[in-house]
Amino acid sequence: MILDQLQRLGQWGIAFFERLGRAHLLLLQMLSGTFGLLRRPSLLTAQLFNLGVLSVLIITVSGLFVGMVLALQGYYVLADFGAEESLGATVAASLIRELGPVVTGLLFAGRAGSALTAEIGLMKATEQFSGLEMMAVDPVKRILTPRLIAGLISVPLLASMFSAIGVLGGSFIGVGLQGVDEGAFWSHMQSTIDLQKDIYNSLIKSFIFGFACTWIALFQGYDCVPTSEGVSRATTRTVVHSALAVLGLDFMLTAVMYGS
Amino acid sequence: MQNTKESQPFVKIRGLHFSRGARKIFDGIDIDIERGKVTAIMGPSGTGKTTLLKLITRQIRPDSGTIEIDGQLINTLSHSKLYELRMRMGMLFQSGALLTDITVFENVAYPIREHTDLQESMIRRLVLLKLEAVGLRGARDLMPNELSGGMARRVALARAMALDPEIVLYDEPFTGQDPISMGILVKLIRQLNDASRLTSILVSHDVAETCQIADRIYVISDGKVVERGTPDELHASESAAVKQFIHGLPDGPVGFHFPAPPLADDILAPAKP
Ligand SMILES: Nc1ncnc2c1ncn2[C@@H]1O[C@H](COP(=O)(O)OP(=O)(O)OP(=O)(O)O)[C@@H](O)[C@H]1O
Ligand SMILES: [Mg+2]
C-alpha cells in the first residue's frame, strides 16, 4: 500500500521534472529563433495583431469597470477619514502596482493563452507540424517564436492600457459622481505615483506575466497529446497554470519590489 | 571505381529495429531504394509503412540500425544538415497535412516562399503549374477545409513537388481517389519520376496500381521484409504471404487481426472491473 503510493509519488515527480525540462528546452529553442524573426517582421506583426490588438477590447472594458469599482469602494473608506482627496492616489496606485498587471495577465491567459494552446495543439494533432518539418521549416522557430515575442510585447502594453483606462474610470466616479475636487484628485495622484517605483515596476511585472502566460500556453499546446481530448485538457491546463503562475509570481515580485 | 556515389542506392537501410512501447514494429529490415526508380513498399495495414517513411525522414529515430540517404548517415546528422537534406525531399502525408489557415494556393507556395527569393509573378506561375498537374488549378482559392480528402491529398502532392525535390515519399497517394484521378495520378507519379530523374518511394495497398508503376517492390509483414523484387517476380513468388497479399485472399499467414489472444479466451474471460 504505502510502497504503491510512494511509487506513484515518485512517478509523478519524475514526470513533473521531465515536463519542466521539456518546457525549458522548448523555451531555448524558441529564443534561438528570435534573431531570424528580425528578417521576417511580418510574422511578428501578424501575431501582435492576434494576441495584442484583438485583446484590447476586453482589456479596456475590464479596466474601466475595475477603475470605477475601486473609486466607489475607495471613496467610502476614505470619506470616513475625511481623506477623499487621496482617492486619485489610491485608485492609481492599486491599478498600477497590482491590478493592472495581474488582471491583464489573467485576462490574457483566458483570451489569448487558451486560443494559442488550442491552435498549436490542433496543428500538432493534424500533422501540420510534421508537414512543416518535411518542408525543412522549423515549426518552433516559424510558428512558436513569433507568438512568444508577440506575447512579451503585448502584455505590458495591454496592462498599461488597463491601468490608464482604469484611472479614467476612477475619475469619472470620483470626480464626476462623488464630487471629489478635480484638482486634488489629480495632484495627489501625481505626487504619489513614482516613475521608478510604480510605473517601471508595473511594466516589469506585466512583462514577466506575459512571458509566463505565453510560455505556458505555447508549451501546453506543443506538448499536448495530439487528440481532441488531449487538446481540450491542455487548454484547461493553460488557463489554470497561467492563473496560478500570475498570482504566485505577483506575490514574489511584490515582496521583492515593495518588501523592504 | 568511378561514379561510386551514382551507383549507390539513394536510400540504404541496414538492420533497422524499431519498437512502439513493447510492440516491435521493425525487426531488422534491410532496404535499398535505387536512384531514379520507383520503389514500392507494400504490406498489410498497421505493419508500419508510415512509420518507415517517418524513420527515413528522421521524424522519429530508430532503436538501432542505420539509414543512409545519398551517402549521408541520417542517424547522427545535425539539425541544419538534416534540414538541408529535407529540402531535397518531398513527402506526401497520408493525411495531407496541409496548413489549414491558408488557401490551397498559399499552401503550395509556402515552401517556395520559405526557401527562395523568387518574385511574386514567378511564384504564381510555378504554383499554377504544379496545381495544373494535379488538376486543381481551379481550386486555388479554396481553404483546405473546403476540400475532399482526395483533393487535399492532391494539393499535398503539388506542395511536395513545389521545390522540385530529388526524392519523393508518397504515403498512400491513391486512397480516396476516383478511378479517373487514380489513373492520372499513377501516370503523373511515373512521369515525374522519369522526366526529372526523381527517386520515388511509394507506400500503397493498391496492388494493381502499384504493380503498374513500381520498378521494385518490397513487401513487409510482421516487422520483416518477406519479399522483394520486380512486380513480375512478385507475381511469381512462391511465398504464401506474398500470394495472399497480392491476390487479397482472406486466409493465409498474413493476419487481418491486430495481435490478440484467441477470440474464445478473450470473450469468455471475466470482465475487468
Ligand atoms: N504514435 C504511436 N504510438 C504508438 N503506436 C503507434 C503510433 N503510431 C503508430 N503506432 C503503431 O505502429 C504500427 C504501425 O503504424 P503505421 O501507421 O506505420 O502503419 P501503416 O503500415 O502505415 O498502416 P496503414 O496502411 O493503415 O496506414 C501500428 O500497429 C500502430 O499501432
Ligand atoms: Mg500508413
Side-chain angles (χ1 to χ4, degrees):
Chain A
M1 246 329 254
I2 293 207
L3 265 181
D4 264 7
Q5 297 213 321
L6 212 61
Q7 195 178 17
R8 219 168 312 146
L9 189 71
Q11 270 170 0
W12 182 85
I14 290 175
F16 173 78
F17 283 108
E18 261 180 18
R19 278 176 78 82
L20 204 62
R22 284 203 300 277
H24 281 86
L25 280 180
L26 180 69
L27 181 63
L28 283 183
Q29 266 176 288
M30 287 193 287
L31 291 178
S32 73
T34 341
F35 191 67
L37 200 59
L38 292 178
R39 273 180 292 128
R40 312 258 319 251
S42 63
L43 291 179
L44 181 61
T45 43
Q47 291 313 316
L48 281 173
F49 181 80
N50 249 338
L51 300 180
V53 176
L54 292 184
S55 304
V56 165
L57 188 66
I58 184 176
I59 294 288
T60 46
V61 171
S62 312
L64 186 68
F65 282 117
V66 170
M68 295 200 300
V69 167
L70 275 178
L72 279 174
Q73 294 283 8
Y75 181 79
Y76 292 122
V77 175
L78 293 173
D80 278 352
F81 302 99
E84 317 75 294
E85 318 235 294
S86 8
L87 183 63
T90 314
V91 169
S94 328
L95 279 169
I96 294 171
R97 290 185 192 166
E98 294 296 337
L99 290 170
V102 170
V103 178
T104 302
L106 296 177
L107 290 173
F108 183 80
R111 205 221 67 101
S114 56
L116 274 184
T117 305
E119 183 189 17
I120 304 290
L122 276 175
M123 285 187 86
K124 184 178 162 184
T126 51
E127 286 196 306
Q128 294 184 52
F129 278 2
S130 311
L132 286 175
E133 285 261 348
M134 281 314 301
M135 288 189 273
V137 175
D138 187 338
V140 172
K141 289 184 179 151
R142 179 65 171 68
I143 306 286
L144 267 54
T145 303
R147 286 166 173 74
L148 179 72
I149 304 298
L152 290 184
I153 298 175
S154 303
V155 176
L157 293 176
L158 289 171
S160 308
M161 267 186 222
F162 184 100
S163 302
I165 302 269
V167 167
L168 280 184
S171 81
F172 289 151
I173 295 294
V175 177
L177 202 69
Q178 315 279 26
V180 176
D181 179 60
E182 190 170 5
F185 184 92
W186 291 108
S187 66
H188 267 260
M189 191 188 304
Q190 227 171 25
S191 59
T192 310
I193 302 299
D194 182 60
L195 182 66
Q196 173 84 45
K197 202 163 155 45
D198 295 310
I199 310 272
Y200 286 170
N201 278 348
S202 173
L203 286 175
I204 293 174
K205 265 190 184 178
S206 47
F207 179 80
I208 292 178
F209 296 162
F211 173 73
C213 289
T214 322
W215 181 19
I216 290 172
L218 292 173
F219 174 68
Q220 291 294 355
Y222 193 70
D223 201 55
C224 77
V225 181
T227 59
S228 31
E229 201 201 0
V231 174
S232 107
R233 281 186 185 198
T235 312
T236 309
R237 270 203 304 268
T238 293
V239 176
V240 173
H241 289 192
S242 303
L244 291 176
V246 166
L247 296 171
L249 282 169
D250 184 52
F251 172 72
M252 287 195 269
L253 289 169
T254 303
V256 171
M257 290 168 173
Y258 303 96
S260 49
Chain B
M1 289 299 279
Q2 255 183 353
N3 249 345
T4 43
K5 207 175 159 195
E6 275 300 305
S7 58
Q8 284 278 316
F10 199 86
V11 180
K12 197 163 137 188
I13 302 176
R14 290 292 174 269
L16 182 73
H17 288 260
F18 182 75
S19 313
R20 288 264 196 205
R23 226 170 94 71
K24 258 205 158 338
I25 309 280
F26 295 120
D27 191 9
I29 59 171
D30 301 335
I31 289 180
D32 285 334
I33 309 286
E34 281 168 55
R35 269 167 216 279
K37 298 267 167 69
V38 178
T39 306
I41 313 274
M42 305 186 80
S45 180
T47 37
K49 302 179 298 295
T50 300
T51 309
L52 182 67
L53 295 188
K54 285 188 178 164
L55 283 163
I56 293 176
T57 50
R58 212 181 88 178
Q59 294 173 53
I60 47 180
R61 289 170 191 253
D63 298 338
S64 66
T66 57
I67 301 173
E68 253 178 55
I69 298 183
D70 203 16
Q72 286 176 289
L73 196 63
I74 65 156
N75 306 48
T76 53
L77 224 51
S78 72
H79 191 76
S80 54
K81 280 266 184 326
L82 178 68
Y83 273 42
E84 250 169 57
L85 192 63
R86 280 185 184 161
M87 298 248 279
R88 298 160 51 197
M89 306 169 105
M91 175 151 175
L92 175 63
F93 283 82
Q94 205 165 355
S95 62
L98 296 176
L99 295 168
T100 47
D101 57 348
I102 51 180
T103 60
V104 164
F105 181 93
E106 286 301 321
N107 259 291
V108 180
Y110 196 93
I112 309 178
R113 291 194 204 283
E114 285 294 317
H115 296 300
T116 68
D117 293 323
L118 291 182
Q119 292 202 327
E120 196 51 43
S121 59
M122 192 66 194
I123 293 180
R124 194 182 121 86
R125 221 168 297 160
L126 269 176
V127 172
L128 291 184
L129 282 176
K130 304 285 172 189
L131 280 173
E132 175 74 15
V134 296
L136 289 175
R137 188 164 47 87
R140 62 174 176 263
D141 292 325
L142 296 183
M143 296 301 280
N145 64 351
E146 296 170 310
L147 302 176
S148 73
M151 287 161 81
R153 212 164 293 119
R154 271 146 71 195
V155 174
L157 177 59
R159 184 179 71 173
M161 295 298 173
L163 286 179
D164 294 321
E166 292 167 37
I167 178 170
V168 184
L169 302 91
Y170 304 90
D171 197 353
E172 314 264 5
F174 305 131
T175 32
Q177 304 295 344
D178 61 85
I180 302 169
S181 39
M182 180 114 109
I184 293 176
L185 271 184
V186 169
K187 254 175 60 192
L188 181 65
I189 291 176
R190 190 70 240 185
Q191 259 175 12
L192 282 170
N193 194 81
D194 299 344
S196 39
R197 270 199 58 77
L198 204 66
T199 305
S200 313
I201 305 180
L202 173 69
V203 162
S204 178
H205 304 289
D206 296 273
V207 178
E209 282 72 25
T210 309
C211 288
Q212 221 178 314
I213 50 172
D215 297 305
R216 283 182 73 78
I217 299 180
Y218 282 82
V219 180
I220 39 180
S221 173
D222 274 337
K224 293 238 183 337
V225 174
V226 291
E227 191 67 79
R228 67 189 73 194
T230 62
D232 292 337
E233 285 168 2
L234 223 63
H235 277 290
S237 166
E238 288 303 313
S239 156
V242 176
K243 270 192 181 152
Q244 185 199 351
F245 188 76
I246 286 193
H247 299 294
L249 307 174
D251 295 313
V254 180
F256 162 67
H257 297 279
F258 196 80
L263 178 63
D265 292 0
D266 225 1
I267 285 182
L268 295 179
K272 287 197 195 94

